[in-house]
Amino acid sequence: MRRFILFTYLLILSAVTNAQLSFYKEPYRPQFHFTPPINWMNDPNGLVYLDGEYHLFYQYNPMGIRWGHMSWGHAISKDLIHWEHLPVAIAEEKDTMIFSGSCVVDSFNTSGFAKEKGQVPMVAVYTGHIEGKNQSQHIAYSLDKGRTWTKYEHNPVLDLGKKDFRDPKVFWYAPQNKWVMAVMWPVEKQVQFYQSKNLKQWELMSRFGPAGDTTGIWECPDLLQVPIEGEPGKTKWVFMHSPAPYMQYFVGEFDGTRFTNENPSQKIYRPDYGPDYYAAITYNNLPANQPPLTIGWANNWNYAQDIPTLPWRSMTSLPKTLSVKKINGEWILIQKPVKQLESLRTAHQSWTSIKTKGAYKIPAGGQSIELTLTLTPAANSTSGIRIAKGNNHYFEIGYDAATNSVYVDRSRAGETGFSAAFARMNRYEATLGSRTKQISLHIFFDRSIVEVFANNGEAVLTTQLFPSPNNTGMELFSNSAGVVFNKVEFWKIKPAW
């Protein structure tokens, strides 16, 4: 078995080495979203920055295109846009799969893993999964900036003897000089907070939950401090996680021991209101002047293993910055695409002051594009834009003035026969927190994924679609002549690979 696994990893390494030459031209393959060269991926793991490199680890099956044999895949980037694939970082071994977790830079060598002057350990904290039997928290370390990894010889470092106990997010809490771990009890729908001085011994501090959305199991926690928009120097704490198959967040305070929610406890707040956003976590060890950064898995467990892509399956969302803003007395998470994406723009066009009742064809198009759209709605109107249009198919992004909601509809966007669940899950919406005179939409369309940012990131909707490659048209639409499309800007996006 060990020889077979070694042979498989050598094949994967060969594929990684040649990925940018032989792959990334397949139907539906995104051109500026991260995908592995081949095989299955899901949750982003271990997001960490060190010495000019953004590390992206992720749940990866080195042996196939469906979930299984979970290990940590690995890629690095200097700008969050162009990624270099590296070999599998932490591999499944014997009966223990490598489930989700986080990565930290142990600058003070609290773990003692650094033995020579100048060494700075990177420490991965992950769930060791024994199918149907046990989940416990393990660590591994790297002394060469993440290129090679050694599993700690005394793993696990936290074991409660539970079958479901997973997804540790660890960060350094400077006010008390300690490490904090958020880790899930999925079935009980509860997060537990632990503390440690050395990443090896952990002490329970407090619990949070159940709260908000309790319809699905709870997974993939993250606890982080974010800036308040428009209030320099002021911050709030955000706890976000994934009640399958979606996500939710809470905003409040963390005192080093307990998290306290300050939003209405009965209301559900989602970082993304589309069907395809899950398991997002944020980067550790970012430079002091850089806002929090997050990346999510752009898929849905109801159909993730059946989407019609080869030889890879699944992608990540675009990287986004985070802040919070108080709207109507509630703390709302604000998400914006990273500015680095602007470096991929080309073929800019713009149009202003368009009125139409019905449809208005835009003389541009494509399937790797960016759009910004500002419109002034009329009372009780429905208006917006259709992309991936052709042969009576399109993907619709709209604003419903009667309900003050932004929506996406993929029911006519393309291929759906691969999954009854996908075909059924076609329309999603987000109610905006406040009514504004103008509605702004920032849209990224990348072959098989659309990400919509409404009103400067107040609401986000991420959606997969599988259109014919010939469907590249665009049109504005409105059911009222009173709607004004104040400005539409368009860019084609260059491939990042």
Side-chain angles (χ1 to χ4, degrees):
M1 180 65 177
R2 182 179 293 274
R3 286 183 179 179
F4 174 72
I5 291 175
L6 177 60
F7 177 69
T8 301
Y9 287 160
L10 289 174
L11 287 178
I12 294 296
L13 178 58
S14 177
V16 166
T17 303
N18 294 291
Q20 286 155 281
L21 297 177
S22 56
F23 297 136
Y24 289 80
K25 303 182 188 303
E26 305 89 353
Y28 306 136
R29 173 79 83 165
Q31 297 298 289
F32 57 94
H33 286 72
F34 178 85
T35 53
I38 61 174
N39 292 344
W40 167 272
M41 73 164 289
N42 55 287
D43 307 357
N45 294 153
L47 304 185
V48 68
Y49 176 87
L50 178 63
D51 292 345
E53 293 179 335
Y54 297 93
H55 291 260
L56 167 61
F57 302 91
Y58 53 93
Q59 290 286 277
Y60 184 61
N61 181 0
M63 313 224 183
I65 201 166
R66 297 175 70 84
W67 185 94
H69 298 287
M70 286 291 95
S71 302
W72 274 24
H74 189 195
I76 56 172
S77 174
K78 294 187 179 299
D79 62 1
L80 294 165
I81 306 302
H82 301 87
W83 294 94
E84 176 188 349
H85 296 293
L86 296 178
V88 169
I90 307 175
E92 172 194 33
E93 188 173 4
K94 296 180 181 177
D95 61 350
T96 303
M97 285 193 251
I98 313 302
F99 268 30
S100 292
S102 51
C103 191
V104 299
V105 175
D106 187 11
S107 301
F108 306 114
N109 196 29
T110 65
S111 62
F113 289 136
K115 303 301 183 183
E116 298 178 9
K117 185 177 180 180
Q119 289 181 331
V120 179
M122 292 176 68
V123 181
V125 189
Y126 61 89
T127 296
H129 171 86
I130 301 175
E131 187 70 17
K133 294 181 179 180
N134 180 266
Q135 290 183 341
S136 56
Q137 313 323 312
H138 297 225
I139 59 177
Y141 63 94
S142 172
L143 299 176
D144 57 2
K145 299 183 180 180
R147 270 55 178 184
T148 60
W149 291 84
T150 302
K151 294 172 183 172
Y152 180 46
E153 61 182 347
H154 299 299
N155 278 329
V157 296
L158 181 57
D159 186 359
L160 303 184
K162 290 178 67 68
K163 188 174 73 171
D164 293 288
F165 175 50
R166 58 181 175 268
D167 308 336
K169 176 59 192 287
V170 174
F171 64 93
W172 179 252
Y173 186 71
Q176 296 176 11
N177 293 317
K178 67 182 183 182
W179 299 103
V180 171
M181 176 196 293
V183 61
M184 282 303 195
W185 278 13
V187 178
E188 294 85 351
K189 298 160 188 180
Q190 184 180 92
V191 62
Q192 296 196 324
F193 297 113
Y194 289 81
Q195 65 181 358
S196 174
K197 292 294 185 181
N198 59 11
L199 295 166
K200 297 174 180 176
Q201 286 85 38
W202 292 92
E203 175 189 355
L204 177 65
M205 298 189 297
S206 65
R207 301 177 175 91
F208 177 80
D213 184 354
T214 59
T215 56
I217 60 170
W218 280 24
E219 298 186 309
C220 303
D222 198 354
L223 179 66
L224 67 147
Q225 201 168 19
V226 303
I228 300 174
E229 275 215 347
E231 299 186 35
K234 293 187 178 181
T235 62
K236 281 290 173 185
W237 284 83
V238 172
F239 167 60
M240 65 180 185
H241 73 101
S242 298
Y246 305 114
M247 288 192 67
Q248 72 172 338
Y249 68 87
F250 303 86
V251 181
E253 292 295 339
F254 178 67
D255 63 3
T257 300
R258 297 182 181 277
F259 172 77
T260 305
N261 176 40
E262 295 181 359
N263 271 342
S265 60
Q266 74 280 5
K267 188 170 179 179
I268 296 172
Y269 300 82
R270 300 205 187 279
D272 195 291
Y273 288 88
D276 293 305
Y277 190 76
Y278 196 74
I281 58 171
T282 54
Y283 269 88
N284 278 330
N285 201 51
L286 288 172
N289 61 346
Q290 190 164 356
L293 287 170
T294 185
I295 296 177
W297 180 48
N299 213 331
N300 186 302
W301 280 115
N302 284 289
Y303 46 75
Q305 300 199 75
D306 300 315
I307 60 172
T309 61
L310 285 171
W312 89 102
R313 188 165 282 151
S314 282
M315 71 188 86
T316 68
S317 71
L318 294 174
K320 291 170 282 194
T321 61
L322 300 180
S323 59
V324 293
K325 182 178 180 180
K326 188 160 264 191
I327 301 175
N328 294 335
E330 302 173 14
W331 289 111
I332 301 300
L333 187 66
I334 305 298
Q335 301 175 88
K336 298 178 182 179
V338 294
K339 289 286 188 182
Q340 293 93 315
L341 286 161
E342 295 177 5
S343 67
L344 300 179
R345 289 173 171 175
T346 186
H348 176 251
Q349 298 182 66
S350 64
W351 303 268
T352 58
S353 302
I354 298 172
K355 284 189 174 184
T356 184
K357 184 176 181 181
Y360 179 93
K361 183 178 179 179
I362 298 177
Q367 289 197 352
S368 292
I369 62 174
E370 178 185 357
L371 292 159
T372 59
L373 169 66
T374 304
L375 65 90
T376 302
N380 299 318
S381 63
T382 301
S383 55
I385 189 167
R386 297 177 180 130
I387 59 178
K389 183 170 173 56
N391 298 315
N392 295 316
H393 288 84
Y394 54 81
F395 181 88
E396 185 167 295
I397 305 160
Y399 173 72
D400 186 338
T403 59
N404 190 33
S405 59
V406 174
Y407 69 88
V408 293
D409 189 331
R410 66 182 176 194
S411 59
R412 298 174 61 94
E415 186 175 353
T416 63
F418 58 89
S419 166
F422 183 92
R424 184 174 63 250
M425 301 167 65
N426 52 44
R427 192 182 192 280
Y428 287 78
E429 65 180 43
T431 301
L432 299 177
S434 58
R435 287 189 176 269
T436 52
K437 182 179 179 181
Q438 293 185 344
I439 303 299
S440 68
L441 301 174
H442 193 174
I443 301 162
F444 293 86
F445 173 28
D446 191 7
R447 291 196 177 179
S448 57
I449 184 170
V450 174
E451 295 189 59
V452 179
F453 298 80
N455 281 7
N456 297 311
E458 178 185 331
V460 183
L461 299 95
T462 300
T463 315
Q464 290 185 100
L465 66 160
F466 301 98
S468 164
N470 298 319
N471 294 351
T472 60
M474 301 190 301
E475 68 179 18
L476 304 174
F477 72 90
S478 172
N479 65 358
S480 169
V483 173
V484 179
F485 294 92
N486 307 91
K487 188 172 185 179
V488 180
E489 288 197 90
F490 166 88
W491 296 267
K492 287 188 175 181
I493 300 297
K494 297 179 292 186
W497 298 100

